[in-house]
Amino acid sequence: MATFAHGWFWHQHDGCRHGQLPDTGHPWARKFQCTRARDLARRSALNIAGRRVLRVGECVLLVAGARPKEGLDEAVAVFLAGRQTFLRIEGRGVTRSIDQATAA
């Protein structure tokens, strides 16, 4: 199994105020598009190699109250006991299980 902790900014967490593009003139949109494509390619390669992938958003780990610790423990335990190939855990109380054909 592979586990990733993805940051708000670099991995452009959807719907997160910390994942907004800065207004600096730098081509951030292209950079983030490449980061997301690389994330998906790595996850797909790991799944093809028989690895399961757990992705945890920074908000789950750092924002107080984003997700209760007990909820995170339970979501990870269910994933470890199951056969899902990919689990994405985000803040806002959202836990999403996605098969490998779905975008990162």
Side-chain angles (χ1 to χ4, degrees), residues 1-50:
M1 183 178 77
T3 303
F4 297 94
H6 280 191
W8 290 303
F9 184 71
W10 294 110
H11 298 273
Q12 290 294 285
H13 182 191
D14 295 329
C16 179
R17 67 183 176 91
H18 299 287
Q20 296 176 3
L21 292 175
D23 187 23
T24 62
H26 183 77
W28 290 109
R30 177 73 178 133
K31 161 64 178 134
F32 297 138
Q33 181 182 26
C34 290
T35 298
R36 292 180 91 156
R38 185 187 66 233
D39 290 345
L40 180 57
R42 285 183 178 166
R43 188 183 90 218
S44 295
L46 286 164
N47 287 152
I48 289 168

Side-chain angles (χ1 to χ4, degrees), residues 9-103:
F9 184 71
W10 294 110
H11 298 273
Q12 290 294 285
H13 182 191
D14 295 329
C16 179
R17 67 183 176 91
H18 299 287
Q20 296 176 3
L21 292 175
D23 187 23
T24 62
H26 183 77
W28 290 109
R30 177 73 178 133
K31 161 64 178 134
F32 297 138
Q33 181 182 26
C34 290
T35 298
R36 292 180 91 156
R38 185 187 66 233
D39 290 345
L40 180 57
R42 285 183 178 166
R43 188 183 90 218
S44 295
L46 286 164
N47 287 152
I48 289 168
R51 302 289 176 121
R52 299 167 65 214
V53 177
L54 172 64
R55 186 179 102 181
V56 181
E58 179 179 13
C59 51
V60 174
L61 304 172
L62 298 180
V63 176
R67 182 171 187 85
K69 182 183 179 309
E70 297 79 22
L72 178 60
D73 291 347
E74 180 182 342
V76 172
V78 168
F79 177 70
L80 292 173
R83 295 179 181 245
Q84 297 167 277
T85 60
F86 179 68
L87 178 67
R88 175 174 59 200
I89 301 175
E90 300 173 339
R92 303 181 316 272
V94 177
T95 299
R96 281 188 264 177
S97 161
I98 301 168
D99 78 24
Q100 66 191 47
T102 307

